[in-house]
Amino acid sequence: ETGVTQSPTHLIKTRGQQVTLRCSSQSGHNTVSWYQQALGQGPQFIFQYYREEENGRGNFPPRFSGLQFPNYSSELNVNALELDDSALYLCASSLRTPSTDTQYFGPGTRLTVL
Amino acid sequence: AQRVTQPEKLLSVFKGAPVELKCNYSYSGSPELFWYVQYSRQRLQLLLRHISRESIKGFTADLNKGETSFHLKKPFAQEEDSAMYYCALSGRGSQGNLIFGKGTKLSVKP
């Protein structure tokens, strides 16, 4: 069984640029959630994808967007990067059933915006 | 407002001492409560959730709806318990949207 993987591990961008982060969900999982974790803070929910459709969104502007593919992997896209977007971005996958939806986290992508 | 509060940023105890990591929440409805742990250089992982009522690695947590608390406890701390601990909640029917606290760093000294 393969766990959640994320790429790249870290990257540096400049203000105004666009970035795409990738996540491969754990084998058998159908749901992917994205979180932003600023330094010294807990993870903050960005949005969730279930069966390729957005299924819940946190308090993030539209320049944060995502996709989920038929193999349930996912992308997080951020346009017009701002300095405050510097953070660790976590992906979590889960298998949604009536009885459980435990989320399994990836190692994260560290984004630095200069 | 939905919120999770962990009042302690850092908690330092000696090996063998009892540990209590505090978590208070604000939520209108019936939330599910979780504790996640992140050991050094490892990913965030679920430690326990209140609906399973399990004891994991000697840790327990009881949901107190009257005090809106979900404190994490262990009677005898071990050095390997040193980690970052996050309390989180999810609203029933929220499709797993987790709201996290800011975390408490537990340091267990020999």
Side-chain angles (χ1 to χ4, degrees):
Chain A
E1 185 179 270
T2 306
V4 179
T5 60
Q6 293 185 243
S7 63
T9 305
H10 55 272
L11 73 167
I12 300 173
K13 292 285 187 178
T14 56
R15 200 168 43 181
Q17 285 189 311
Q18 179 266 340
V19 69
T20 297
L21 310 182
R22 295 179 175 82
C23 170
S24 291
S25 58
Q26 186 164 313
S27 177
H29 286 184
N30 56 15
T31 303
V32 173
S33 302
W34 285 91
Y35 295 82
Q36 181 195 66
Q37 186 173 19
L39 202 61
Q41 304 293 316
Q44 189 174 357
F45 177 71
I46 302 175
F47 45 55
Q48 182 182 84
Y49 279 83
Y50 172 61
R51 293 186 175 179
E52 302 179 57
E53 295 209 357
E54 188 177 292
N55 186 51
R57 188 179 183 94
N59 188 27
F60 280 81
R63 58 190 187 83
F64 285 78
S65 63
L67 284 173
Q68 187 181 31
F69 300 100
N71 66 355
Y72 301 123
S73 64
S74 177
E75 286 183 355
L76 164 64
N77 298 290
V78 187
N79 294 322
L81 283 167
E82 301 177 0
L83 297 180
D84 285 348
D85 295 333
S86 294
L88 181 69
Y89 288 84
L90 297 170
C91 163
S93 74
S94 59
L95 173 62
R96 184 180 301 170
T97 71
S99 59
T100 184
D101 59 356
T102 299
Q103 297 189 28
Y104 295 83
F105 284 82
T109 293
R110 173 75 61 187
L111 172 65
T112 301
V113 182
L114 302 176
Chain B
Q2 303 170 26
R3 185 170 56 243
V4 174
T5 302
Q6 294 180 251
E8 304 137 330
K9 289 184 70 172
L10 173 65
L11 183 63
S12 185
V13 302
F14 285 102
K15 176 182 173 181
V19 171
E20 181 178 65
L21 298 167
K22 290 183 166 51
C23 172
N24 290 92
Y25 66 91
S26 172
Y27 188 83
S28 55
S30 296
E32 288 193 53
L33 273 295
F34 307 81
W35 277 98
Y36 278 80
V37 61
Q38 187 167 27
Y39 300 102
S40 179
R41 296 190 181 87
Q42 294 188 27
R43 61 188 66 190
L44 198 60
Q45 58 185 287
L46 179 66
L47 179 62
L48 54 80
R49 59 196 301 174
H50 88 271
I51 60 172
S52 62
R53 305 184 71 81
E54 293 177 301
S55 172
I56 306 294
K57 298 185 179 183
F59 284 98
T60 59
D62 290 321
L63 179 60
N64 186 323
K65 293 183 179 180
E67 296 182 359
T68 58
S69 68
F70 188 56
H71 303 327
L72 183 68
K73 300 177 184 180
K74 185 169 182 176
F76 307 104
Q78 303 299 314
E79 289 181 68
E80 55 266 30
D81 296 329
S82 295
M84 196 74 185
Y85 290 81
Y86 294 94
C87 182
L89 72 78
S90 172
R92 292 189 193 278
S94 71
Q95 290 84 43
N97 167 8
L98 289 169
I99 299 170
F100 284 87
K102 292 185 178 182
T104 297
K105 184 174 182 179
L106 174 64
S107 176
V108 181
K109 299 179 179 179

